[in-house]
Amino acid sequence: REAENITQERFADMVGKLGRLVSGIEAGRVNVGFDLLCRIAEGLDVSLGALGDRDPDKWQERAKSK
């Protein structure tokens, strides 16, 4: 999300969730179910595997190759 300069509020709208939930997820205070992980990956236009990759440069490389 940050690599694409997307605010938490905008991203929350993209995945159909509240901004404070996105904040809690990013802070590690909220556990995420598989359903929401799929929606997050879809919102970011990345694979589920990319969500576990902590290197945002790789996300940008994957996005460019699509």
Side-chain angles (χ1 to χ4, degrees):
R1 174 190 69 76
E2 289 176 345
E4 297 295 324
N5 294 316
I6 299 171
T7 65
Q8 284 183 345
E9 293 81 15
R10 181 166 168 239
F11 184 68
D13 288 341
M14 292 168 64
V15 297
K17 294 294 176 183
L18 298 174
R20 66 179 175 264
L21 177 64
V22 172
S23 175
I25 292 167
E26 291 182 355
R29 294 187 309 264
V30 176
N31 290 323
V32 180
F34 184 73
D35 231 21
L36 182 52
L37 279 177
C38 291
R39 290 169 63 182
I40 290 170
E42 185 177 319
L44 293 172
D45 194 29
V46 299
S47 69
L48 282 172
L51 293 179
D53 190 342
R54 296 188 179 264
D55 184 356
D57 291 335
K58 289 183 182 177
W59 301 340
Q60 290 174 338
E61 289 171 16
R62 287 184 186 122
K64 289 177 188 175
S65 67
K66 287 186 177 186

